[in-house]
Amino acid sequence: MNKMKMINLAAIALFFLGNGCKSGAPVDAAAVKPAIVTEAVMHDTDDPAIWINKADPAKSLVIGTDKDADGALYVFDLDGKIVKDKVVKGLKRPNNVDLAYGLMLNGKPTDIAITTERMTHKLRIFSLPDMKPVDNGGLDMFVGEAGEGYRDLMGIAIYTAKDGKMYAVVGRKNGPKTGGYLWQYLLADDGKGNVKATLVRKFGEYSGKKEIEAIAVDNELGYIYYSDEQTGVRQYYADPTKGNQQLAIFGTKGFNADHEGISIYKLTDTTGYIQVSDQGANRFQIFSREGTKANPFEHKLLKVVNVTATQSDGSDVVNVPLNDTFKHGLFVVMSDNKTFHYYRWEDIAGKELKVK
């Protein structure tokens, strides 16, 4: 066999190996490098959320969890530097974090960051950008559950409905297989400027294979997505009045190990991309946000992107220009070396995907 033919066969083998052999979507041969790697946290990074400073996008922040019994919420600027006066310490194994804009507290719209505190079974909520507590010490979740791991908080996502109501969608270490793994709570002012949470529904199937951690919400389209690890990504309506029927499950083939962090890059109110961490392969599989004409809940695999972040649990993405480095959006990815990696969206998109 001649040398050129051997090289071509090796390249073909590498393509299919990296692509899970079945996906049929293009995969980058080399890992995309981040524009910035943050300063390290004390213990163990897990999940990020990006807060956009609407008055001055260059002063936007990234909030990330440090998952430990002596854990914290770290706050970083767009250069990856820790904003020391905003770090919240003394949290009991904060797992995931999400944020939302404009919850009415004391009659004023307040941006909030919510993290799941696994060891206390509480949601902890802080105002943004000052990171001051607005939860009166924390909100108890999964009250009355007695199964092993049934109250150990994991994932969190916030759904802001078109009528302005805001909901927390909360996951846990373990739960029932037939429905009710996730609980959804309405968030509101308790009358004293703190947040209260009222349970509105229990939903969500579970394979029983590992756990459910990553949750993401598409506010505009009104969907909830969550990673059933080693099984796939499940989709439900975010509006609790629309029922608890599963709409789709995708990403069921071609993953190396765990399905993890989910983030949504929005091109318009109805189009864009869903990024899902293929944790064991140090890559993200990217699916279409919109469905097809034949099936509005069919999410096609469009691209597989290798990244230098390793064993990534969580990610977040925004589509707005922030500064000269992130002109088309910012994709933040957790890495297991106690850091978060900042990627330019155009570097992730390459030639296959669009930028806003």
Side-chain angles (χ1 to χ4, degrees):
M1 184 180 294
N2 64 51
K3 184 176 181 181
M4 185 58 69
K5 191 171 184 179
M6 290 176 64
I7 292 172
N8 288 340
L9 288 174
I12 291 169
L14 179 62
F15 173 86
F16 284 105
L17 179 63
N19 208 21
C21 300
K22 299 180 181 180
S23 65
V27 62
D28 292 339
V32 176
K33 293 180 173 58
I36 289 170
V37 176
T38 68
E39 295 179 327
V41 304
M42 182 70 69
H43 302 289
D44 180 18
T45 50
D46 194 279
D47 187 52
I50 305 165
W51 177 74
I52 300 171
N53 186 324
K54 296 176 181 178
D56 186 352
K59 294 182 180 179
S60 298
L61 302 170
V62 173
I63 298 93
T65 57
D66 184 17
K67 188 174 61 177
D68 191 82
D70 181 28
L73 279 182
Y74 276 78
V75 180
F76 305 89
D77 63 21
L78 293 184
D79 293 320
K81 304 298 183 183
I82 296 171
V83 185
K84 294 181 180 180
D85 63 342
K86 296 184 184 299
V87 174
V88 179
K89 296 185 178 181
L91 298 177
K92 300 297 183 181
R93 200 173 175 82
N95 206 95
N96 284 33
V97 63
D98 198 15
L99 58 83
Y101 302 85
L103 180 66
M104 295 302 296
L105 296 178
N106 275 331
K108 298 178 180 179
T110 305
D111 299 347
I112 57 170
I114 300 184
T115 190
T116 49
E117 195 174 39
R118 191 191 303 184
M119 295 176 70
T120 66
H121 318 308
K122 292 181 178 182
L123 286 184
R124 299 303 314 274
I125 307 178
F126 304 89
S127 58
L128 284 165
D130 56 4
M131 297 300 291
K132 300 300 183 184
V134 288
D135 58 9
N136 199 29
L139 305 176
D140 287 315
M141 297 286 104
F142 299 106
V143 174
E145 295 286 81
E148 183 178 355
Y150 274 44
R151 295 197 66 198
D152 293 348
L153 304 191
M154 298 282 283
I156 178 67
I158 306 174
Y159 167 51
T160 303
K162 292 180 180 179
D163 63 4
K165 290 182 179 178
M166 196 174 290
Y167 301 86
V169 182
V170 189
R172 45 188 164 164
K173 186 72 172 177
N174 196 10
K177 295 180 182 179
T178 56
Y181 195 106
L182 303 181
W183 287 17
Q184 185 168 349
Y185 297 82
L186 177 66
L187 303 178
D189 193 319
D190 68 354
K192 299 179 181 179
N194 290 307
V195 182
K196 66 177 181 179
T198 303
L199 179 65
V200 295
R201 72 161 168 167
K202 306 172 184 179
F203 73 99
E205 295 182 25
Y206 168 47
S207 67
K209 290 184 177 180
K210 196 170 183 183
E211 61 195 28
I212 293 168
E213 180 175 2
I215 309 170
V217 174
D218 189 325
N219 288 327
E220 290 80 5
L221 293 180
Y223 300 131
I224 292 169
Y225 301 95
Y226 64 87
S227 288
D228 189 338
E229 294 183 16
Q230 301 185 354
T231 300
V233 179
R234 300 184 187 271
Q235 179 180 6
Y236 287 79
Y237 284 118
D239 184 341
T241 67
K242 289 189 175 182
N244 297 334
Q245 181 180 356
Q246 180 174 283
L247 303 175
I249 181 169
F250 59 95
T252 57
K253 297 180 180 179
F255 275 72
N256 183 273
D258 291 347
H259 302 69
E260 278 283 0
I262 306 171
S263 53
I264 303 170
Y265 185 87
K266 300 170 183 177
L267 292 169
T268 68
D269 281 350
T270 59
T271 64
Y273 309 108
I274 301 171
Q275 293 74 238
V276 182
S277 175
D278 187 351
Q279 186 183 37
N282 301 328
R283 65 189 183 184
F284 280 80
Q285 299 204 26
I286 302 180
F287 299 84
S288 60
R289 179 187 178 205
E290 60 272 22
T292 64
K293 289 183 179 180
N295 180 0
F297 308 120
E298 180 183 0
H299 303 282
K300 292 186 175 181
L301 179 61
L302 302 176
K303 185 178 183 182
V304 181
V305 180
N306 296 327
V307 294
T308 58
T310 51
Q311 294 293 317
S312 182
D313 277 339
S315 71
D316 196 15
V317 66
V318 295
N319 62 5
V320 299
L322 299 176
N323 58 18
D324 288 340
T325 303
F326 303 106
K327 296 179 180 180
H328 299 282
L330 167 63
F331 183 48
V332 179
V333 174
M334 163 263 173
S335 184
D336 69 351
N337 62 347
K338 304 182 182 181
T339 67
F340 295 94
H341 289 199
Y342 295 2
Y343 295 88
R344 300 179 183 91
W345 173 254
E346 58 267 37
D347 293 340
I348 297 295
K351 295 179 180 180
E352 299 85 1
L353 306 179
K354 297 178 180 179
V355 299
K356 186 175 172 65

